[in-house]
Amino acid sequence: MRCFDWSQHPWCQSTICLLCWFSLHTVQAEEAWLQRSQAILQTLEGQPRPDWLNGQSEQLGVKRQAQQLLEASQVIQTEALSTRSTTVASGLPTTRSNKPLTLLFVSFSLGDSALKSIFEEAAGRDDVLLVFRGPKPGQKLPALMADLKRLLKGIDPLPNIIIDPTRFQRWSVSSVPDIVVEQDDKARLHVRGVSSLSWLDEQIKAGKQGDLGALGDVGEITEIDLLEEIKRRMAAIDWKQKQQQAIARFWEQQKFEDLPTAQADRDRIVDLTITASRDLVAPNGQLIIHAGQTVNPLDKMPFGLCLKVFDATVPAQVELIQCQSCQNKQARVMYLATALPRQSGWDSLQRLETALQAPVYLLTPDVRSRFQLQQVPAIVEQVGNQLVVRERKLPASTGERS
């Protein structure tokens, strides 16, 4: 599919800027929990994901589920896990900092009693993060949250809890409990078989550093490695089949900008005169229009295009648009189709481009609005310092869709 994208055509960017067709969008900084979630997903970038999937509106189910789980892990201490009103810290200590952060790796294999004791000791500690590797095998997100909610009942304030398999991999954690004091991207202290934070505080005060080894009993990690599970599922996806399915359903879901067939020849003037509500600046920083200034953009720069708009499902419109010529022979001709046959969309598009010997783009709502298109077939081009929309009636006994 080709939906016309002005940004891909530098030869008309300046004109579009002059017509005030650029929108300004602000980008807000993401929260720490989203950054941690994205870090998990970015680890998957090396997996075989075909280019044709990039930019699709629908997301792969496995990736979407992973994102939801990772995001949910950052709100474990919110009302989803608490039946009472709880004051939540402004942000979990999950981002890099020069201050030490104690990572206490845990698992449900430790048992409810041990986990609850850990939760109680970590309550209110902003420098402590309790890390789970993922859900239990076959466990869904609601069940995991319910288990945590049950163990967190009565604990106030709530401890910081996160699901982060990347940290398990980074520090080679293969059993629990396991403690890593993380600082400046390094393990300041590492000890296995211990879950007591008060004991840990004493060791830090005593100046202990490095790998202290295993100082207690350790157990297996019950939960799955969420990251490895995502990789496994992605590797099992039949990408060729997904591609075929995406291609097959594209035209079924495509929304066309249908326009009625012109019943008479009519020429309309499109008034481009504007009064700028603010300074208008070109992409290169040049000031084009001052705030409050009324201008006709075509006085400053020619349009340079000749748009031919037609319904590709009507053979007579295709034939007529081929015969119609632009007044400005130097203008660049661009074909915009309001519709294509859904059953043979890709084949029809290929045949159409072969016949016209030029690319064909689908008319989009913004282009339809910008040029005040009402009926087809129509030609849009510049005459003097104005844009003219020329609607043309089809010859008698034509106009039926193919």
Side-chain angles (χ1 to χ4, degrees), residues 130-189:
L130 305 181
V131 190
F132 283 86
R133 190 168 68 175
K136 301 173 186 177
Q139 186 181 45
K140 301 298 183 182
L141 178 60
L144 171 60
M145 304 300 282
D147 285 344
L148 290 171
K149 179 179 179 180
R150 173 174 52 82
L151 293 177
L152 290 168
K153 185 177 181 180
I155 301 177
D156 189 5
L158 294 172
N160 296 319
I161 303 176
I162 188 175
I163 299 173
D164 189 353
T166 62
R167 276 191 162 112
F168 274 79
Q169 292 188 1
R170 180 181 183 184
W171 302 119
S172 301
V173 176
S174 58
S175 61
V176 290
D178 193 318
I179 295 179
V180 174
V181 178
E182 186 181 82
Q183 185 176 19
D184 295 328
D185 293 329
K186 297 179 181 180
R188 174 179 171 184
L189 185 149

Side-chain angles (χ1 to χ4, degrees), residues 18 272-273 294-302 382 384-386:
L18 285 171
L272 298 182
T273 301
T294 299
V295 298
N296 181 348
L298 295 179
D299 289 336
K300 294 181 174 293
M301 183 175 291
Q382 180 178 350
N385 65 346
Q386 297 177 322

Side-chain angles (χ1 to χ4, degrees), residues 23-82:
S23 299
L24 298 178
H25 300 282
T26 59
V27 179
Q28 299 180 344
E30 296 174 316
E31 297 293 337
W33 59 264
L34 181 56
Q35 294 175 352
R36 293 300 308 153
S37 300
Q38 288 178 331
I40 301 274
L41 298 177
Q42 287 170 356
T43 307
L44 302 176
E45 289 182 352
Q47 298 302 302
R49 179 178 174 85
D51 292 339
W52 59 268
L53 267 179
N54 295 332
Q56 292 290 325
S57 59
E58 59 180 15
Q59 298 292 326
L60 290 176
V62 61
K63 186 172 182 179
R64 181 174 59 250
Q65 293 171 8
Q67 183 76 48
Q68 291 172 346
L69 181 57
L70 293 166
E71 292 172 1
S73 74
Q74 296 291 357
V75 294
I76 289 174
Q77 55 180 335
T78 65
E79 60 184 1
L81 293 175
S82 178

